[in-house]
Amino acid sequence: MNPISPLVREQLAPHGVLSAAVYLGNFLLVTGRSPTGEPTGIAPDICRAVAERLGVELNLLGCDTQEEVVDSAASERCGIALVGSDPARAQKVTFTPAYVELEASYLVPAHSAIQEISQVDQPGIQIASFHKSAYDHWLQRNLKHATLVHADSLQASNELFVREKLDALAGLKTGLITVSQNIPGSRILEGQFTGIQQAIATKKSHFESIAFLRECVEEFIGAGLVAALIKKYQVQGLSPAPLLKKS
């Protein structure tokens, strides 16, 4: 990596501490808590790796909503925030390229006539979805005919799907696997309607820091750190994001 300028440390880690926000609801990337209550998992370890590159201490902030994660970086409460990258969120912060990708698909009930993802976006189809999740943002932008029925949490979207007997449940494939085990006859559709890219965000005006963080992501993927963390935490349903080709 290139030498780290004092301005980057000033932007990301004033007073020698990198404050970093992670989303506690992403069960793939935040898998537990330490004895002291600090979030543990792939995302916290990525934050730790950034702090090590900067040569500073790390202060982890666990957030209950993805909006809080994004706002923490936009407001400079945190130097970095790890969350799903999305155009709507990119209005507030700047994202690096992704470090991991998560598959998003649909669960359909027993006896559903829907066999393929392409059949979901039809008039009259109602889809349960966790409002303002990364995959929900994608669905809001891309669905042309089907209707989203929103819930304010992941668990609530699962319950909504069952209670209202909706046509499909949108979600991360690994989460849908767990839900399907409690719904006899339900099926997860093959493939994905989108890949949710998890990235590092920082304040939009932090141009020098954005370049540094992009280098970090490239190194973490290229050197095998991301793959090693996926193996360490035994997480299924995600993979290291592909390295961007250099022009």
Side-chain angles (χ1 to χ4, degrees):
M1 287 184 65
N2 295 322
I4 301 170
S5 77
L7 182 56
V8 170
R9 288 193 177 90
E10 181 182 325
Q11 291 175 348
L12 297 183
H15 316 298
V17 178
L18 172 68
S19 291
V22 296
Y23 173 46
L24 298 176
N26 191 322
F27 53 89
L28 298 178
L29 297 178
V30 180
T31 50
R33 294 273 194 170
S34 71
T36 58
E38 189 174 70
T40 59
I42 294 171
D45 279 6
I46 291 291
C47 296
R48 194 163 287 109
V50 174
E52 289 175 0
R53 294 293 185 280
L54 289 169
V56 299
E57 295 181 15
L58 175 67
N59 174 41
L60 270 176
L61 173 67
C63 300
D64 293 323
T65 70
Q66 294 172 90
E67 285 183 304
E68 185 183 354
V69 178
V70 174
D71 288 343
S72 72
S75 66
E76 286 189 281
R77 180 184 180 191
C78 291
I80 63 172
L82 274 63
V83 69
S85 59
D86 178 88
R89 295 171 182 168
Q91 295 177 15
K92 291 185 174 183
V93 293
T94 296
F95 287 99
T96 65
Y99 64 93
V100 292
E101 291 186 333
L102 295 69
E103 291 185 327
S105 187
Y106 298 109
L107 179 74
V108 296
H111 313 302
S112 172
I114 298 172
Q115 299 296 322
E116 299 177 359
I117 285 177
S118 61
Q119 298 173 328
V120 175
D121 191 11
Q122 303 293 333
I125 297 294
Q126 293 186 306
I127 304 166
S129 184
F130 174 17
H131 193 219
K132 293 186 178 180
S133 61
Y135 57 82
D136 182 70
H137 279 304
W138 188 93
L139 291 170
Q140 288 186 53
R141 292 194 307 273
N142 290 277
L143 287 178
K144 293 180 171 59
H145 305 290
T147 301
L148 290 172
V149 183
H150 284 129
D152 59 7
S153 73
L154 182 62
Q155 182 62 32
S157 70
N158 300 341
E159 295 168 354
L160 179 68
F161 170 67
V162 175
R163 185 179 66 250
E164 301 297 328
K165 297 182 171 59
L166 300 181
D167 301 291
L169 169 65
L172 299 179
K173 189 167 285 188
T174 47
L176 295 178
I177 291 171
T178 302
V179 175
S180 69
Q181 293 170 353
N182 298 315
I183 305 176
S186 62
R187 293 178 288 111
I188 299 169
L189 301 183
E190 289 293 325
Q192 63 182 50
F193 60 78
T194 189
I196 304 303
Q197 298 194 319
Q198 299 290 319
I200 304 175
T202 192
K203 187 176 181 181
K204 291 185 81 71
S205 60
H206 287 171
F207 302 114
E208 294 80 8
S209 294
I210 291 163
F212 162 76
L213 293 169
R214 284 176 176 151
E215 288 183 2
C216 284
V217 168
E218 183 176 310
E219 180 184 321
F220 297 162
I221 297 171
L225 174 63
V226 176
L229 291 176
I230 292 172
K231 184 177 181 180
K232 173 184 176 181
Y233 290 102
Q234 300 181 329
V235 179
Q236 298 180 337
L238 76 166
S239 58
L243 281 169
L244 294 181
K245 293 181 180 179
K246 294 186 178 181
S247 56

